[in-house]
Amino acid sequence: MAKPNRTLAIYESLKKWPFGNSIFSKIICRTAPYFGTVKPYVDNLQEHECTVLIKKGRRVHNHIKTVHVIAIANGLEMAMGVMAEASIPKHLRWIPKGMTLNYTAKAGTDIRCVAKVSAEDWKPGDMPVEVKAYDTNGTIVVEGHINLWISEKPKK
């Protein structure tokens, strides 16, 4: 395996320490502050996959005291973004183009947000990233795709 990129290298070095994943999660939220609104926790990061946890609580509740789907969408977008930053080949860049989500069940527990792609997906053009959110029972509560536009970095 090639040397990990900077994002993955930071994660790998921090996860060895107590509270390392919490520190990494806070670094991501400092970089992209809106993610911090749901107090996400990067539970696992590897090339082409990221898992972000969102705790059920007042901060993310809707009017029926389940986790609001926009909070889940925020967690899914963070999982996708961190996965993309940790996985994209050095000669490419990405930008999100859109999101299509289906709400499949009530989100009455903590939520696990997962974003996945395969190594072969990284090429210029449209790239759908599969995203799924699970409750603590393993039930999928939201699923869909976040579409990315992948392009070559400009020559310097």
Side-chain angles (χ1 to χ4, degrees):
M1 185 167 133
K3 179 181 169 188
N5 73 12
R6 183 176 173 183
T7 301
L8 196 53
I10 291 168
Y11 175 78
E12 291 294 332
S13 68
L14 286 173
K15 78 176 190 177
K16 299 171 189 170
W17 297 93
F19 307 107
N21 284 37
S22 292
I23 294 167
F24 181 78
S25 300
K26 288 181 189 319
I27 290 169
I28 297 300
C29 291
R30 292 279 305 210
T31 305
Y34 184 73
F35 292 142
T37 63
V38 296
K39 288 201 172 187
Y41 176 84
V42 178
D43 185 54
N44 184 47
L45 175 61
Q46 53 195 329
E47 269 193 311
H48 317 299
E49 185 172 342
C50 181
T51 301
V52 171
L53 303 178
I54 298 172
K55 287 272 195 200
K56 181 181 182 289
R58 183 168 166 73
R59 163 184 298 273
V60 295
H61 277 172
N62 57 21
H63 65 289
I64 59 172
K65 298 206 179 359
T66 59
V67 180
H68 197 288
V69 73
I70 299 302
I72 296 171
N74 191 354
L76 290 169
E77 188 175 12
M78 180 173 169
M80 175 282 302
V82 173
M83 176 279 302
E85 283 298 311
S87 306
I88 194 164
K90 291 186 187 310
H91 68 286
L92 297 175
R93 61 187 178 175
W94 65 274
I95 189 165
K97 282 181 67 175
M99 178 184 297
T100 304
L101 299 175
N102 295 309
Y103 318 148
T104 56
K106 282 186 181 179
T109 68
D110 295 347
I111 301 297
R112 180 171 46 100
C113 300
V114 181
K116 280 188 197 184
V117 295
S118 64
E120 302 80 44
D121 293 337
W122 292 107
K123 54 188 174 235
D126 284 318
M127 183 176 97
V129 176
E130 177 185 67
V131 291
K132 293 183 180 179
Y134 302 85
D135 68 11
T136 56
N137 300 313
T139 302
I140 297 171
V141 296
V142 176
E143 64 183 339
H145 290 89
I146 298 175
N147 294 311
L148 303 182
W149 176 250
I150 308 298
S151 60
E152 299 275 345
K153 286 183 179 173
K155 302 288 185 225
K156 290 185 178 182

